[in-house]
Amino acid sequence: LVEIINLPIDFNNGAPAFCVKPLDSIIILTEEKASVQSCDLLVDSPPGAVDRFLSTNQEFSVRALVTPFANADEVWLELLLPSGYSSDGDLRRDIGCGEGVEKSVVWNLTAPPDEDLLTRQIQLTTGGVDINSGSPFSGCVSSLEVKTEVAALLDLSAVISGPQQALEGELSVNLPFTVEAAVANNGSAGVDTTGARIKIELPPDYSIIDGDTSKAFYIGEPVSWNLRAPSSNSPPGNIRVYFAEPYANDANTDQPAGIERAEIVIPVKTEAGTVVMSNVSKSDTIAIPPHVVPQGARDVPMLKICFANNSAYTVGLDTFYVTIRKASGLDIENPSQFVDSVSFVAGNVKYSAQASGVNPIPIFVNHGFTINSVDSATAFVEVDIAGGASIGSMRIEVARSDDVKFSIGGGNTPVGVVWKDGDHFYNDPFTIMSGNFSEYVHNYPNPFRAGYEKTRIAYFLTEDTDVSILIYDYTGILVWSKDIAAGSEGATGGPGGEECKVLWNGRNGRGELVRNGVYICKITAGPNSAIFKIAVAK
């Protein structure tokens, strides 16, 4: 409001000047300065990324929701991206003047190619020009926290999981077996397996015992199929296990997850059946077979063998061949010079064959030893040493898998025999010595290291009898003694003779280590006695 309060004097007439309009006014409106408010920044798509966890190289979009007021002009929005993130367009967007209503702007972005374990911020800034002042202004700001993890990467594995004899893919006819598969995630992002499937494809004549060829799966949890081999021999083939539609999705991208191994091929073949032989001698008392045996020794254990039947039928042993060899490994032309017989012993049943001038020696079992389907059994190989056997070293051997004849149905269908990797079916060489008590008695090792090892004093008894062992030094002073009552350990015998062993640790009766040197051992067993030397070398 403007008013003339005192009128000026007209110089001509000396009176107050004429005033046409002594009062006037101007209307002025005051508004709030220009602004952009209500800034919201969020992940717009895909749905799996709304939790702001992103997979490496993932494409996603963010949406800004802002409200520019009417006195704002030339309004703009701009994104600031963390290192490694990129956009398919300009990060700054112009949205014109304000109207006091909410506006929406979308950016299409891509996550970094590498995992970032730290939380990063996508920032939104806004601004424009104030219509009244013509000056630029800064609007509201906002930020969005995001984290990048390695995209889901599926790795398929599958194996034959049972039974034991099927693990290598060599199956017997009609054998039930199981294939087990699992899916691992080699990425960090979650995996949505809803509806996802893995599928198995079988060679001709193989069948599924129960269930479908395709099955649902979950990360890290096994999936299995119970299968059956063909009812007759079949050529080598492949079992395929693979991912089938619909595929599992990366939980962040909502798109099919990456796949490292999409298919597993398991080679298989079907035969009438196989028996797997394993040398388990070390698991029994013959872990240390006799190093020395006397002439005429009976039932001397040589080997313990485990037979595993991986066929779908009961198999029986027809013939078992044993080769008598010299310690050097060469065949002995006339086995009867060393042994009277060889035996295959299963449980309480013994199958024996007399030695002759033929090597190897066949032991005819004629299905007296049988093994049920998918079962195993053990047996021993024993020998009877000839009473007049040649003095010297020898060993026995099952030389080839062809030397072991198994079959189905009384010999109508032969069954292959295979040896477990690394197994050798022969024993350590042993020495045949005189059957006379005084000539057989010995100790081993000799010499031995008193205080570090023990020596075994070995002798042979044909009946239970009292045993006395005396050890003297070279001056005739008694160093150590042991008396054993008949029937106690070390004093038992039997028809054909039994080897007995007594340990001496190289200490005298007071527990003191004896000195290096040669000692005299005298053994008395009933009417028999023997004297021999024991050497001590520390």
Side-chain angles (χ1 to χ4, degrees):
L1 177 65
V2 178
E3 180 183 3
I4 300 175
I5 299 175
N6 295 314
L7 294 175
I9 301 299
D10 185 309
F11 286 113
N12 294 324
N13 59 24
F18 177 76
C19 180
V20 176
K21 188 177 182 180
L23 183 67
D24 199 1
S25 65
I26 300 174
I27 298 174
I28 300 176
L29 299 176
T30 302
E31 298 178 314
E32 292 184 7
K33 65 181 180 180
S35 65
V36 179
Q37 298 182 6
S38 303
C39 292
D40 287 321
L41 187 62
L42 50 87
V43 175
D44 188 57
S45 67
V50 296
D51 60 358
R52 294 167 295 173
F53 280 86
L54 307 169
S55 296
T56 49
N57 286 316
Q58 176 179 344
E59 295 181 356
F60 66 105
S61 63
V62 298
R63 181 182 297 273
L65 299 173
V66 299
T67 303
F69 280 80
N71 58 347
D73 196 12
E74 300 179 19
V75 178
W76 53 265
L77 286 70
E78 185 173 8
L79 284 185
L80 298 177
L81 300 180
S83 176
Y85 288 76
S86 60
S87 171
D88 66 353
D90 293 336
L91 294 175
R92 181 168 176 136
R93 304 287 179 84
D94 295 323
I95 61 173
C97 61
E99 300 173 355
V101 296
E102 185 177 74
K103 292 190 176 183
S104 173
V105 178
V106 175
W107 288 265
N108 295 319
L109 307 178
T110 302
D114 300 313
E115 181 179 32
D116 186 353
L117 299 178
L118 300 177
T119 300
R120 303 297 183 182
Q121 288 190 342
I122 298 174
Q123 295 182 333
L124 171 69
T125 59
T126 64
V129 175
D130 189 300
I131 292 177
N132 294 320
S133 68
S135 301
F137 71 90
S138 296
C140 59
V141 296
S142 184
S143 64
L144 178 69
E145 292 186 343
V146 291
K147 191 171 184 178
T148 304
E149 52 192 2
V150 176
L153 183 61
L154 305 186
D155 188 12
L156 177 64
S157 62
V159 296
I160 295 175
S161 59
Q164 180 70 30
Q165 55 268 37
L167 300 185
E168 301 300 324
E170 296 182 354
L171 313 171
S172 67
V173 294
N174 280 326
L175 180 70
F177 66 103
T178 302
V179 168
E180 184 174 280
V183 179
N185 178 14
N186 292 338
S188 303
V191 180
D192 180 5
T193 60
T194 303
R197 314 289 286 182
I198 51 178
K199 190 171 184 178
I200 191 168
E201 183 178 288
L202 305 177
D205 300 325
Y206 286 74
S207 59
I208 294 181
I209 296 176
D210 53 43
D212 298 326
T213 56
S214 66
K215 293 193 175 186
F217 70 91
Y218 301 94
I219 301 300
E221 296 185 13
V223 174
S224 62
W225 290 269
N226 295 318
L227 310 174
R228 187 179 297 279
S231 58
S232 60
N233 289 4
S234 67
N238 293 319
I239 294 175
R240 293 178 59 234
V241 180
Y242 56 92
F243 290 109
E245 294 183 348
Y247 300 115
N249 285 342
D250 184 304
N252 295 329
T253 65
D254 297 327
Q255 297 296 315
I259 295 177
E260 186 163 321
R261 283 187 293 184
E263 177 181 314
I264 301 296
V265 175
I266 305 173
V268 291
K269 65 177 180 179
T270 302
E271 299 176 340
T274 56
V275 173
V276 180
M277 286 175 54
S278 304
N279 187 350
V280 294
S281 299
K282 291 185 178 180
S283 66
D284 203 82
T285 55
I286 62 171
I288 304 177
H291 289 80
V292 179
V293 296
Q295 295 167 324
R298 291 292 181 260
D299 304 327
V300 181
M302 295 285 113
L303 289 174
K304 183 180 182 182
I305 301 173
C306 178
F307 301 90
N309 176 15
N310 71 351
S311 78
Y313 302 95
T314 297
V315 299
L317 178 62
D318 298 302
T319 311
F320 190 87
Y321 290 86
V322 176
T323 300
I324 309 299
R325 295 191 187 279
K326 296 179 181 178
S328 62
L330 296 176
D331 286 2
I332 293 174
E333 292 184 3
N334 185 357
S336 63
Q337 293 178 346
F338 290 86
V339 298
D340 283 338
S341 65
V342 294
S343 300
F344 182 91
V345 183
N348 296 323
V349 182
K350 177 184 290 189
Y351 304 90
S352 301
Q354 295 299 311
S356 63
V358 177
N359 208 0
I361 302 169
I363 304 174
F364 298 104
V365 179
N366 298 322
H367 271 231
F369 174 69
T370 60
I371 312 172
N372 293 331
S373 172
V374 196
D375 201 356
S376 60
T378 57
F380 288 90
V381 180
E382 297 178 348
V383 299
D384 289 344
I385 305 299
S390 301
I391 304 298
S393 297
M394 60 162 285
R395 74 182 190 197
I396 70 159
E397 181 174 353
V398 182
R400 301 170 299 276
S401 59
D402 287 347
D403 286 346
V404 183
K405 307 291 187 183
F406 277 92
S407 65
I408 300 169
N412 295 330
T413 305
V415 176
V417 176
V418 296
W419 292 8
K420 189 175 180 180
D421 293 344
D423 277 347
H424 301 283
F425 293 92
Y426 54 80
N427 63 336
D428 293 334
F430 60 94
T431 301
I432 299 175
M433 294 178 60
S434 169
N436 293 329
F437 183 88
S438 60
E439 295 178 5
Y440 175 79
V441 172
H442 64 284
N443 73 292
Y444 63 94
N446 191 18
F448 78 104
R449 301 174 65 198
Y452 296 94
E453 61 183 341
K454 299 176 182 179
T455 189
R456 295 171 178 81
I457 300 171
Y459 45 95
F460 214 72
L461 299 179
T462 57
E463 61 181 356
D464 294 354
T465 185
D466 294 336
V467 175
S468 172
I469 302 176
L470 304 172
I471 297 178
Y472 301 88
D473 66 15
Y474 235 74
T475 66
I477 297 175
L478 180 64
V479 173
W480 182 83
S481 65
K482 186 177 183 68
D483 292 321
I484 309 171
S488 302
E489 183 178 358
T492 60
E498 292 183 11
E499 185 181 50
C500 299
K501 298 175 185 176
V502 173
L503 298 178
W504 181 45
N505 58 9
R507 295 181 181 272
N508 60 25
R510 296 187 298 276
E512 302 167 339
L513 285 175
V514 301
R515 296 181 178 181
N516 290 356
V518 177
Y519 293 78
I520 306 300
C521 181
K522 179 179 180 181
I523 297 181
T524 302
N528 299 309
S529 64
I531 297 176
F532 63 99
K533 297 177 181 180
I534 297 177
V536 174
K538 298 177 186 175

